[in-house]
């Protein structure tokens, strides 16, 4: 059965989508069967995987409101060699519609249940808020991967996210836990970033991934071409870091 992971952080602009897309492509490059679920109405993970969000038939919206299935909605990312359940602006309306539905926090779990055996990894790109969309991701996941910058405000947001994960674990999903923290957009020349990185290691121990993703222009350029960074320029430092992270994830899953 697939291992299901949310890539989540309540703070915006911390590299959630970049991490999700490049981890998916990195895992696929390592021979894993991967499904990426885009739960963000902005649809950036969809576009970053080379899929035009303006020309979708079915999307994750249809899954959540019961108007479509995984088989109908999923699209192949030819660039990344993984499957995608795409998202677009329709998803913003799902928030309101979900409120009145039964099992509203488990709609994604129910939709994915029939297909979990077809994949090794299912990665869920969550929006930067604890909304019903994020809650659907957390309720189906085995764990959360938290990408974060080594900055003071990021530490503030991290405590809120950890508390949210604990509440979901206690009330809705006993399988949920923090798989690890991934340091992204890291610049070793900045003393503060080194200090925050050391604080994370001291406080979270082996929950901090050994892989560190550096700030990298090639990773930032890749989405405009609709190609994951690890495919766009495999030799770039950022791409190499995400390929290493994919291997680290494969090893970490064996110990869960």
């Amino acid at each position: 059965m697939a291992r299901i992971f949310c890539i989540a952080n309540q703070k915006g602009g911390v590299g959630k989508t970049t991490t999700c897309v490049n981890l998916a492509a990195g895992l696929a490059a390592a021979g894993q069967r991967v499904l990426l679920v885009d739960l963000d109405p902005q649809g950036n993970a969809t576009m970053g995987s080379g899929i035009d969000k303006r020309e979708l038939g079915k999307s994750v919206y249809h899954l959540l409101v019961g108007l479509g299935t995984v088989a109908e909605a999923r699209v192949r990312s030819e660039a990344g060699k993984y499957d995608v359940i795409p998202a677009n602006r329709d998803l913003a309306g799902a928030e309101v519609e979900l409120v009145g539905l039964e099992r509203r926090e488990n709609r994604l779990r129910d939709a994915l249940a029939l297909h979990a055996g077809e994949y090794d990894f299912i990665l869920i790109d969550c929006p930067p808020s604890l909304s019903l969309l994020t809650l659907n991701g957390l309720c189906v996941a085995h764990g959360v991967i938290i990408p974060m910058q080594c900055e003071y405000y990021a530490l503030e947001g991290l405590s809120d996210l950890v508390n949210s994960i604990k509440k979901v674990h206690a009330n809705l999903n006993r399988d949920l836990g923090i798989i690890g923290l991934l340091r992204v957009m890291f610049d070793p020349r900045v003393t503060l970033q080194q200090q925050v990185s050391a604080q994370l290691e001291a406080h979270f121990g082996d929950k901090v991934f050994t892989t560190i993703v550096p700030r990298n222009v090639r990773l930032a350029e890749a989405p405009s071409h609709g190609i994951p960074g690890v495919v766009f320029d495999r030799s770039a430092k950022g791409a190499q870091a995400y390929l290493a992270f994919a291997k680290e994830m494969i090893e970490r899953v064996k110990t869960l």
Side-chain angles (χ1 to χ4, degrees):
M1 296 292 282
R3 305 297 296 190
I4 305 174
F5 300 112
C6 277
I7 287 79
N9 194 318
Q10 287 168 235
K11 188 174 184 296
V14 295
K16 287 187 300 297
T17 299
T18 299
T19 294
C20 198
V21 168
N22 284 289
L23 176 57
L27 289 168
Q32 303 294 303
R33 299 169 301 162
V34 182
L35 173 66
L36 187 159
V37 181
D38 190 352
L39 268 189
D40 192 333
Q42 293 182 72
N44 289 338
T46 299
M47 297 290 277
S49 299
I51 297 159
D52 191 341
K53 65 183 180 183
R54 295 160 296 191
E55 297 181 2
L56 300 178
K58 302 276 186 178
S59 68
V60 72
Y61 163 79
H62 297 90
L63 251 66
L64 294 174
V65 299
L67 295 175
T69 65
V70 169
E72 292 170 334
R74 65 185 165 193
V75 185
R76 186 71 173 169
S77 168
E78 295 301 334
K81 308 301 181 195
Y82 53 84
D83 288 346
V84 180
I85 298 179
N88 57 19
R89 287 290 177 193
D90 290 348
L91 191 55
E95 287 274 8
V96 179
E97 294 179 52
L98 282 170
V99 172
L101 297 178
E102 290 183 14
R103 292 175 56 79
R104 60 189 181 187
E105 69 277 357
N106 284 306
R107 306 291 289 192
L108 185 61
R109 179 197 289 265
D110 295 343
L112 292 176
L114 296 173
H115 298 272
E118 299 172 22
Y119 298 99
D120 300 306
F121 287 87
I122 298 177
L123 305 177
I124 302 171
D125 185 31
C126 294
S129 62
L130 190 61
S131 60
L132 260 177
L133 295 175
T134 301
L135 195 57
N136 263 269
L138 294 176
C139 284
V140 69
H142 297 115
V144 184
I145 297 166
I146 306 173
M148 62 176 296
Q149 293 174 260
C150 292
E151 296 175 354
Y152 176 72
Y153 287 133
L155 283 178
E156 291 284 295
L158 179 60
S159 62
D160 293 338
L161 178 59
V162 170
N163 287 333
S164 298
I165 291 168
K166 285 179 179 176
K167 287 176 184 174
V168 175
H169 171 82
N171 299 301
L172 295 167
N173 181 4
R174 301 298 296 180
D175 293 333
L176 188 69
I178 295 174
I179 300 302
L181 283 77
L182 177 68
R183 291 162 287 182
V184 299
M185 302 185 208
F186 190 78
D187 187 343
R189 298 169 299 180
V190 179
T191 304
L192 176 62
Q193 293 203 9
Q194 291 180 351
Q195 291 170 344
V196 172
S197 177
Q199 280 182 278
L200 287 174
E201 289 176 341
H203 186 71
F204 290 96
D206 61 4
K207 288 288 186 188
V208 181
F209 289 106
T210 56
T211 304
I212 298 176
V213 181
R215 190 173 287 277
N216 186 248
V217 174
R218 299 297 275 171
L219 281 180
E221 289 174 349
S224 65
H225 297 270
I227 303 173
V230 298
V231 180
F232 179 63
D233 185 353
R234 194 182 176 93
S235 64
K237 286 183 179 179
Q240 289 294 310
Y242 275 117
L243 290 168
F245 177 48
K247 291 177 182 174
E248 188 175 356
M249 271 301 299
I250 292 169
E251 290 304 311
R252 184 161 295 206
V253 161
K254 293 175 183 176
T255 65
L256 298 179

